Amino acid sequence: MSGTATVSARTAVSRSWKAPIALYAFAVIALVLGFAVARTGTSTFGLTTPGDLVALAPLAVPTGGTVAALALVLAGLAVAAHALVLFGAGRRVPRRLVAVFAIVFLVAFLTWASAGRTIPVTGLLIGGLALGTPLVFGALGGVIGERAGVVNVALEGQLLLGAFSAAVVGSVTGQPVLGLVAAMAGGVLVALILATFAIRYVVDQVIVGIVLNVLVTGLTGFLYVKVLKSDADLFNAPDRFPVLPVPGLSAIPIVGPVLFRQTIIVYLMYVAAFAVWFGLFRTRWGLRVRAVGEHPTAADTVGIDVNRTRFWNVALAGAIAGVGGAYFTLDSVGAFTKEMTNGMGFIALAAVIFGRWHPIRATFAALLFGFATNLQSMLGIIGSPVPSEFMLMLPYVITVFAVAGLVGRSRAPAAGGKPYLKS
């Protein structure tokens, strides 16, 4: 009887074939690029920037043979993933294998796309970090809000009002630090409106978030035309934060220019990602936040004020997202333009899902989206045959695979989006 139960239990173990199927699909794409539409020439990867401690020679590789070899490696990795699931009694494909597969596929694709051209690797990474920085702040704000049980669809509005506030205050005062504080205040303002309607008046959180995004877009657009555009020197010419190289570290080839030759906002991003992770999983505050997002009734029974905790953490999330908005006007662009966030709040929300509501994973997901966006620009500059429209689709395609379970099962906090009414 016991043996029969054991056999039945083993038979009942379910296997997920999503990852092997996806890996096979990408392996087929690589094989097609390597053999069916192979390109000739030499692909060159530039590795050095001015100011590096050691000048690295460009890496030149033959396009056709390299892509074909990497395509065969990808096919082997896909077969290995299939075998692990087939013989692993319910095992999932290890994330490390998926990560290795993704890196090899990226190298193969870049080698194929840059035949006869040069890709500046350091510039590609710097641009990806620049485009990913506001997404990281937005994603961290989204993680905190959803961990507390509030779906922060208003991230777009928080980023946009943060950018607007930073431009105006930074221009009037001539102090970018005050502009940064104003950006945080702008993000908090949008977050407080969201929290008031969603928590106090129990309005649907998604609807409130969308309405706030439309409101902020219209308001900032109106003020831009009527105020900022008419007197740009006074209201829309903030001083930008200077680049602050870290002595010694900034001279390391590739790593130095990318990570340690940045402005204060990028360094704040490093700190914020670690601080949110540490706070959520290593402090009493984080335990309370996760409790009200997962089991608000249980949290209430032990004396935690659920709605108060949610309210102030949504405000904190808005402050963090506001810093991401300040990056546009005080760092990358240097002035406010109409609808300049261009939907990045929604991509940040996608990064939260991709990162499975974990601050570090969401950070890497946001940086991946930034890298993909910069990659399509870079390929257009070097004259790659890949249509730019396809590259613009890449962040969203990645999100679809993430939600479908390629990187593991995605489960939102149990009470996310559900108002808590104390009985």
Side-chain angles (χ1 to χ4, degrees), residues 1-140:
M1 197 72 174
S2 174
T4 304
T6 303
V7 173
S8 300
R10 289 178 178 174
T11 305
V13 172
S14 61
R15 298 183 177 92
S16 174
W17 297 100
K18 296 176 184 177
I21 291 172
L23 297 186
Y24 271 124
F26 282 101
V28 169
I29 293 173
L31 290 170
V32 169
L33 295 179
F35 294 95
V37 289
R39 305 183 70 198
T40 58
T42 300
S43 301
T44 305
F45 297 91
L47 306 176
T48 298
T49 59
D52 288 350
L53 184 63
V54 178
L56 301 178
L59 179 62
V61 296
T63 303
T66 302
V67 175
L70 292 175
L72 294 175
V73 171
L74 291 170
L77 291 173
V79 172
H82 184 110
L84 283 173
V85 174
L86 182 63
F87 301 110
R91 288 182 58 189
R92 295 181 179 273
V93 177
R95 296 191 192 97
R96 292 179 182 177
L97 191 149
V98 175
V100 171
F101 185 97
I103 293 172
V104 175
F105 180 85
L106 177 63
V107 173
F109 175 75
L110 289 178
T111 303
W112 179 85
S114 61
R117 300 287 190 274
T118 298
I119 288 185
V121 175
T122 306
L124 180 63
L125 295 175
I126 291 174
L129 181 65
L131 292 171
T133 296
L135 293 176
V136 170
F137 283 109
L140 292 175

Side-chain angles (χ1 to χ4, degrees), residues 208-296:
V208 175
I210 293 174
V211 170
L212 283 173
N213 290 334
V214 175
L215 174 63
V216 172
T217 300
L219 179 62
T220 55
F222 172 78
L223 293 175
Y224 170 73
V225 173
K226 295 297 182 179
V227 180
L228 272 66
K229 206 170 182 181
S230 61
D231 197 350
D233 291 337
L234 177 60
F235 295 109
N236 200 19
D239 292 334
R240 291 203 241 182
F241 282 110
V243 174
L244 302 174
V246 178
L249 296 178
S250 62
I252 301 174
I254 301 178
V255 176
V258 175
L259 298 180
F260 304 112
R261 209 178 292 172
Q262 297 291 346
T263 63
I264 188 64
I265 296 183
V266 178
Y267 295 136
L268 282 176
M269 180 192 73
Y270 304 155
V271 176
F274 174 80
V276 173
W277 167 81
F278 185 85
L280 280 177
F281 298 105
R282 295 291 187 274
T283 67
R284 184 181 179 185
W285 164 77
L287 182 61
R288 287 171 173 260
V289 171
R290 290 182 287 124
V292 301
E294 289 286 350
H295 304 288

Side-chain angles (χ1 to χ4, degrees), residues 71-403:
L72 294 175
V73 171
L74 291 170
L77 291 173
V79 172
H82 184 110
L84 283 173
V85 174
L86 182 63
F87 301 110
R91 288 182 58 189
R92 295 181 179 273
V93 177
R95 296 191 192 97
R96 292 179 182 177
L97 191 149
V98 175
V100 171
F101 185 97
I103 293 172
V104 175
F105 180 85
L106 177 63
V107 173
F109 175 75
L110 289 178
T111 303
W112 179 85
S114 61
R117 300 287 190 274
T118 298
I119 288 185
V121 175
T122 306
L124 180 63
L125 295 175
I126 291 174
L129 181 65
L131 292 171
T133 296
L135 293 176
V136 170
F137 283 109
L140 292 175
V143 168
I144 292 176
E146 296 206 29
R147 283 286 184 174
V150 178
V151 179
N152 196 352
V153 181
L155 285 173
E156 178 76 6
Q158 292 161 16
L159 288 170
L160 190 57
L161 190 57
F164 178 85
S165 303
V168 173
V169 175
S171 300
V172 172
T173 64
Q175 298 293 329
V177 174
L178 294 179
L180 181 61
V181 174
M184 296 174 68
V188 169
L189 177 61
V190 177
L192 288 177
I193 298 174
L194 170 67
T196 300
F197 280 95
I199 298 172
R200 182 179 178 83
Y201 297 108
V202 199
V203 181
D204 186 276
Q205 297 172 9
V206 175
I207 293 176
V208 175
I210 293 174
V211 170
L212 283 173
N213 290 334
V214 175
L215 174 63
V216 172
T217 300
L219 179 62
T220 55
F222 172 78
L223 293 175
Y224 170 73
V225 173
K226 295 297 182 179
V227 180
L228 272 66
K229 206 170 182 181
S230 61
D231 197 350
D233 291 337
L234 177 60
F235 295 109
N236 200 19
D239 292 334
R240 291 203 241 182
F241 282 110
V243 174
L244 302 174
V246 178
L249 296 178
S250 62
I252 301 174
I254 301 178
V255 176
V258 175
L259 298 180
F260 304 112
R261 209 178 292 172
Q262 297 291 346
T263 63
I264 188 64
I265 296 183
V266 178
Y267 295 136
L268 282 176
M269 180 192 73
Y270 304 155
V271 176
F274 174 80
V276 173
W277 167 81
F278 185 85
L280 280 177
F281 298 105
R282 295 291 187 274
T283 67
R284 184 181 179 185
W285 164 77
L287 182 61
R288 287 171 173 260
V289 171
R290 290 182 287 124
V292 301
E294 289 286 350
H295 304 288
T297 304
D300 194 7
T301 59
V302 297
I304 299 175
D305 190 329
V306 174
N307 287 334
R308 182 185 178 88
T309 302
R310 287 182 171 183
F311 192 93
W312 292 115
N313 279 285
V314 170
L316 173 62
I320 294 174
V323 178
Y327 181 81
F328 291 102
T329 50
L330 299 178
D331 197 313
S332 62
V333 179
F336 181 83
T337 58
K338 192 175 179 180
E339 299 179 24
M340 69 185 307
T341 52
N342 197 27
M344 281 195 170
F346 297 103
I347 297 186
L349 201 58
V352 174
I353 300 172
F354 192 1
R356 291 187 292 171
W357 295 269
H358 188 284
I360 301 301
R361 293 177 187 145
T363 295
F364 283 113
L367 293 175
L368 176 61
F369 291 166
F371 175 82
T373 304
N374 189 51
L375 178 60
Q376 65 89 15
S377 300
M378 182 72 70
L379 292 179
I381 293 173
I382 68 173
S384 169
V386 182
S388 60
E389 294 80 6
F390 173 79
M391 295 307 303
L392 286 172
M393 289 166 43
L394 188 57
Y396 306 98
V397 172
I398 292 173
T399 303
V400 170
F401 277 111
V403 175

